[in-house]
Amino acid sequence: MKKSKTTALTKHPKKQTLRKRMGQYWQLYLMLLVPVVLTIIYKYIPMYGIQIAFRDYKSVRGIWDSEWVGLKWFLRFFSSPNCLRMIKNTILLSLYSLLWSFPIPIILALAINQLRFKKFKRTVQTILYAPHFISIMVVCGMLRIFLSPSGGLINLIAGTGIDFMSEASAFRSIYIASGIWQDAGWGIIVYMASLANIDTAQYEAAKIDGASMFQRIRYIDIPELVPQIVLMLIMSAGNLMNVGFEKVFLLQTDLNKAASDVIAVYVYQQGIEHAKYSYSTAVGLFNTIVNVLLLIIVNKITSKISEDVSFI
């Protein structure tokens, strides 16, 4: 009798079928249906147009009747004189942006979390959030005014007359610095949400044990942020080749093209301005493939590092 009871207790409960689970939670599945349908319509169905990159697309003939040319457009891009320069500029601009922009929201979140006056804390957060809601066009207009050689704020303070927008060597610094100012405050939201979930008893216990502020950050705050840091790093690395087209296009001049000539702007110029649809699609597809490969590589690297690294 005892044996039968123990076996009955240790027996796993019978799993419900998918149909029964969907019937039981049909409201949730109905809500899930909306984003799934929208994703299929706007993300997956248009992917059939990728074949334009392998055809000599003519709008009169349509996609299916256009001549198949294989890797012709890819070879043309790789043999173009500006190919290496565009790839180099895209990688450097994205890599420097990631290097300088990624740690700033983490540092800000850790610093704001130490503020104990709630009103002051909310004020600081609001000030940091505000630039995110300014449009790229307005930001670029502000940059052109501040960096103007005649009457620009930077030149007035420094007492110089440098045309920064025409200096290729200054373009990356302008792009990265303006990006940090605009998006750093918005980037702290995820980290602040994680820090808000930390039990205050941990801080109180650490204070009783004599832990300093930096020790509390190191042993309590940072370990809590590690999963979010890894996730945000993977997402950022997946967009490493996707330099912000709007800002680069609006800040680009004929004199700073040596540093601002990137793939995104080139795709726009070839596809929209010159109507080379097949060629621009091939270049864009190459850019996407590189992003996917980087995403897979970084995902594997960060997953291994996150298991081994200890912040304690």
Side-chain angles (χ1 to χ4, degrees):
M1 290 292 291
K2 290 183 179 180
K3 188 176 181 181
S4 61
K5 286 182 179 180
T6 54
T7 53
L9 290 172
T10 56
K11 190 176 180 181
H12 295 287
K14 187 177 180 181
K15 292 184 179 180
Q16 291 181 336
T17 61
L18 179 60
R19 182 177 297 180
K20 287 184 178 180
R21 291 200 302 269
M22 292 181 66
Q24 187 176 358
Y25 305 104
W26 65 270
Q27 298 93 338
L28 297 177
Y29 284 98
L30 187 62
M31 292 175 60
L32 182 64
L33 185 64
V34 177
V36 169
V37 170
L38 290 176
T39 302
I40 292 172
I41 293 174
Y42 292 106
K43 297 294 183 179
Y44 285 95
I45 293 179
M47 286 179 67
Y48 84 96
I50 290 175
Q51 61 181 299
I52 294 175
F54 305 96
R55 295 179 181 271
D56 186 11
Y57 175 72
K58 304 294 182 183
S59 56
V60 179
R61 299 179 182 177
I63 296 177
W64 297 105
D65 293 331
S66 297
E67 182 184 357
W68 185 272
V69 294
L71 301 177
K72 173 184 176 181
W73 306 118
F74 293 93
L75 296 175
R76 177 175 294 185
F77 171 65
F78 293 134
S79 61
S80 63
N82 296 329
C83 174
L84 292 178
R85 187 179 75 174
M86 285 186 292
I87 295 174
K88 177 186 173 182
N89 289 337
T90 302
I91 293 175
L92 288 179
L93 199 59
S94 300
L95 196 60
Y96 289 154
S97 296
L98 181 62
L99 181 65
W100 291 103
S101 303
F102 186 77
I104 300 298
I106 302 172
I107 297 171
L108 287 174
L110 293 171
I112 293 173
N113 190 55
Q114 298 303 315
L115 300 176
R116 291 294 170 256
F117 298 101
K118 291 185 178 180
K119 289 185 178 180
F120 180 68
K121 187 176 181 179
R122 291 173 183 172
T123 304
V124 172
Q125 286 179 298
T126 304
I127 293 172
L128 292 174
Y129 293 162
H132 179 77
F133 298 98
I134 302 175
S135 68
I136 295 295
M137 185 169 290
V138 175
V139 170
C140 293
M142 292 169 61
L143 289 173
R144 287 185 176 275
I145 293 172
F146 293 153
L147 300 175
S148 173
S150 58
L153 180 62
I154 304 300
N155 282 304
L156 287 176
I157 295 173
T160 57
I162 303 173
D163 187 4
F164 292 99
M165 300 307 301
S166 300
E167 296 287 338
S169 58
F171 179 82
R172 294 192 186 107
S173 299
I174 295 170
Y175 180 91
I176 295 167
S178 60
I180 293 173
W181 172 75
Q182 189 175 17
D183 297 324
W186 186 257
I188 70 175
I189 292 178
V190 175
Y191 303 117
M192 290 298 298
S194 298
L195 292 173
N197 292 327
I198 298 177
D199 189 0
T200 55
Q202 295 186 43
Y203 294 113
E204 295 173 0
K207 288 180 181 178
I208 293 172
D209 291 338
S212 64
M213 181 185 68
F214 293 103
Q215 287 175 329
R216 294 195 298 270
I217 291 174
R218 179 183 177 185
Y219 295 112
I220 299 175
D221 293 342
I222 293 181
E224 183 70 24
L225 294 180
V226 169
Q228 283 71 32
I229 292 173
V230 172
L231 179 62
M232 298 302 291
L233 180 61
I234 292 172
M235 293 176 65
S236 299
N239 292 317
L240 193 62
M241 295 288 287
N242 288 339
V243 178
F245 158 75
E246 296 89 352
K247 186 187 290 187
V248 175
F249 183 73
L250 292 170
L251 295 178
Q252 189 179 73
T253 63
D254 292 335
L255 297 177
N256 64 18
K257 274 194 171 183
S260 64
D261 200 8
V262 296
I263 293 176
V265 175
Y266 186 69
V267 170
Y268 170 81
Q269 292 172 343
Q270 297 298 317
I272 304 300
E273 294 181 0
H274 301 296
K276 297 179 180 179
Y277 303 117
S278 295
Y279 182 59
S280 61
T281 304
V283 178
L285 181 59
F286 161 74
N287 197 39
T288 303
I289 292 172
V290 174
N291 274 329
V292 172
L293 293 176
L294 288 172
L295 179 63
I296 295 171
I297 293 170
V298 173
N299 188 18
K300 290 184 177 180
I301 293 174
T302 51
S303 61
K304 290 182 179 179
I305 292 175
S306 60
E307 293 175 359
D308 300 332
V309 172
S310 175
F311 291 88
I312 300 176

